[in-house]
Amino acid sequence: MTYKRLMDGKFVELVSEMTDEEKVALLAGHRMWKTESIERLGIPRIVMTDGTYGVRYSIPQIDGDEAGGQDFDAFLSVVGQRADHVQIAWGQMKLATCFPNGSSLGCSWDVELARKLGEALAKECQEFGVHLLLGPGINIRRTPLGGRSYEYYGEDPILSGDFSAGVINGLQENGVGASLKHFACNNSEVERTSMDSVVEERALREIYLRGFERAIRKSNPWTVMSSYNRLNGVQVAEDPWLLNRVLRDEWGYEGLVVSDWHGIKDRPASLIAGNDLDMPESGTRKAELLDAIRAGKVDRAVVDTACERVLKLVRLAKLGENRSITFDRAEHHALARKMAAESIVLLKNEGGLCRSSLPRSNASPSSAKALAYRSSRVPAVRPRCQP
């Protein structure tokens, strides 16, 4: 397959030659972890996979083109396994480095370390043939009980935005795309596709959206991933205020919006709202979109714009592809250990603070709780303390 017109950026021309079926296929992905190809037009597939602190390459799912189910429940039946049953959920995987997760690494306050993480992940992606890594995730970590709180960098949008920008720049400067996620307010794993994050606009903009805005401004990720939840009563994947007005009109984002896996409930509504790529492939949702296009319920200009965004992503991925790159396992293991060490934070006992403030061993539990509460409210001033 030759990609000349694609690589020359002739996106409008290519889209104009597509049938409705081809457009719908391009906007729906291929199986679990790929975009769809259109061979007669010289449009190849690209490969994506998780994750935020390591490349999860499932051999049967990616190389074997396994499907991800037709809907969210079917998808969960594939991946919703206990952690000790990972072989059942994902099958045989290529060995990759497990770097410290976000809740640890964010404690380093070291954006350059974040960039090095992105660079290392890019090398592993290049060796494995992955074009787009689905991360980093920067939802605000509201509670340690959140099922995916360990992935996120903290409770501060400035830290989250700057740190994720470091990871994204490290990835994309080395030819691998990033997907900034989960946009937005995906702060619970309990009933995650139906729960409603009710947030007033000031808090939304100052806390929950600010990290995304900052990361986009500093790194321009190739994709942004919409979240599963509802936001103020509207399903995020179908929210034109969030995906079009805020993300594109106000922030000027020009990249692609991809859904979380089976996060779309109404495919025509999601496309109209600005959710370009529906992942993974679902025959049901493809048929719904095709019917809506033919019935005139979805403006063809909206369809064409989304297709052009997918083509731009594919072009970026092919430009960045470099299969001569390999990674040094021992070197990446050493980097992971360094990251873990840099993430350890010690409290310095300065001016006798501990003698006056820390509870004695025979102190009451209530005094210990009071100190813990006070300590949790003190803002960090320096990234680490010296003994």
Side-chain angles (χ1 to χ4, degrees):
M1 185 188 299
T2 59
Y3 315 140
K4 187 177 188 314
R5 287 199 293 170
L6 175 72
M7 303 312 286
D8 287 345
K10 295 183 178 180
F11 310 125
V12 174
E13 179 181 306
L14 286 168
V15 172
S16 71
E17 296 178 20
M18 293 179 190
T19 64
D20 288 344
E21 290 84 355
E22 287 171 333
K23 291 176 182 179
V24 168
L26 188 67
L27 299 176
H30 174 79
R31 311 296 277 180
M32 185 81 150
W33 299 110
K34 299 173 185 176
T35 59
E36 188 55 276
S37 64
I38 305 176
E39 293 190 9
R40 74 177 187 88
L41 297 177
I43 300 168
R45 293 181 183 131
I46 63 170
V47 177
M48 60 193 82
T49 194
D50 286 327
T52 54
Y53 55 93
V55 183
R56 188 177 67 202
Y57 193 104
S58 168
I59 294 173
Q61 289 180 1
I62 298 177
D63 295 348
D65 264 347
E66 286 186 355
Q70 290 298 310
D71 54 31
F72 186 69
D73 289 337
F75 174 64
L76 284 184
S77 72
V78 176
V79 303
Q81 308 286 337
R82 290 173 56 87
D84 54 355
H85 296 156
V86 66
Q87 188 78 13
I88 298 173
W90 302 105
Q92 183 181 1
M93 291 186 289
K94 292 186 178 181
L95 295 180
T97 310
C98 183
F99 293 97
N101 58 44
S103 62
S104 173
L105 200 54
C107 296
S108 71
W109 292 71
D110 190 337
V111 174
E112 184 57 33
L113 200 60
R115 180 185 288 270
K116 289 179 180 178
L117 171 61
E119 293 171 351
L121 290 170
K123 287 183 180 179
E124 300 196 14
C125 284
Q126 291 283 18
E127 179 172 323
F128 295 156
V130 173
H131 302 93
L132 178 68
L133 194 66
L134 302 173
I138 63 166
N139 293 102
I140 296 299
R141 199 168 66 234
R142 300 303 299 158
T143 168
L145 300 179
R148 297 181 72 170
S149 291
Y150 67 93
E151 291 184 48
Y152 308 139
Y153 300 120
E155 301 171 58
D156 182 85
I158 305 301
L159 170 65
S160 297
D162 287 7
F163 213 88
S164 59
V167 175
I168 293 166
N169 285 327
L171 278 164
Q172 295 185 171
E173 288 170 5
N174 289 278
V176 176
S179 191
L180 185 64
K181 64 184 187 183
H182 307 87
F183 188 63
C185 295
N186 188 179
N187 300 318
S188 172
E189 289 300 288
V190 177
E191 299 184 5
R192 59 181 170 176
T193 66
S194 58
M195 64 88 62
D196 191 6
S197 296
V198 180
V199 189
E200 63 179 21
E201 186 166 353
R202 179 176 177 181
L204 188 61
R205 289 184 178 273
E206 292 184 358
I207 301 173
Y208 297 96
L209 299 184
R210 192 174 184 186
F212 286 96
E213 181 182 14
R214 193 175 180 92
I216 288 168
R217 188 172 69 247
K218 292 191 170 192
S219 63
N220 193 25
W222 292 1
T223 71
V224 169
M225 184 185 292
S226 62
S227 57
Y228 281 126
N229 54 287
R230 290 182 291 160
L231 176 59
N232 294 328
V234 181
Q235 203 74 40
V236 164
E238 303 158 17
D239 189 347
W241 177 83
L242 185 67
L243 302 183
N244 275 332
R245 179 178 158 186
V246 174
L247 180 62
R248 292 193 167 107
D249 296 342
E250 294 184 15
W251 297 353
Y253 181 66
E254 297 181 348
L256 176 137
V257 175
V258 57
S259 72
D260 207 338
W261 265 228
H262 290 300
I264 290 176
K265 296 180 179 179
D266 184 331
R267 181 53 180 139
S270 71
L271 187 61
I272 293 169
N275 206 129
D276 307 299
L277 180 59
D278 175 13
M279 291 296 294
E281 181 182 4
S282 165
T284 301
R285 294 194 298 272
K286 287 166 70 175
E288 290 173 353
L289 181 57
L290 184 59
D291 288 345
I293 292 171
R294 288 176 171 171
K297 295 179 180 178
V298 178
D299 190 330
R300 289 181 179 274
V302 171
V303 178
D304 290 353
T305 297
C307 287
E308 289 167 23
R309 290 182 183 133
V310 174
L311 294 181
K312 290 175 184 177
L313 172 64
V314 174
R315 179 179 181 272
L316 283 171
K318 299 306 289 186
L319 283 172
E321 184 179 278
N322 186 346
R323 296 299 170 251
S324 67
I325 295 176
T326 60
F327 71 97
D328 186 306
R329 273 67 175 164
E331 181 181 293
H332 281 201
H333 183 66
L335 177 61
R337 288 177 61 90
K338 173 180 171 59
M339 289 176 175
E342 292 296 320
S343 301
I344 297 172
V345 178
L346 298 177
L347 177 66
K348 182 179 180 181
N349 181 16
E350 193 171 65
L353 173 67
C354 293
R355 285 194 295 274
S356 61
S357 300
L358 291 180
R360 300 180 301 277
S361 59
N362 62 348
S364 68
S366 61
S367 63
K369 289 178 182 177
L371 174 70
Y373 174 76
R374 289 198 303 273
S375 298
S376 71
R377 306 301 296 174
V378 176
V381 176
R382 288 175 291 184
R384 61 180 67 83
C385 298
Q386 301 297 327

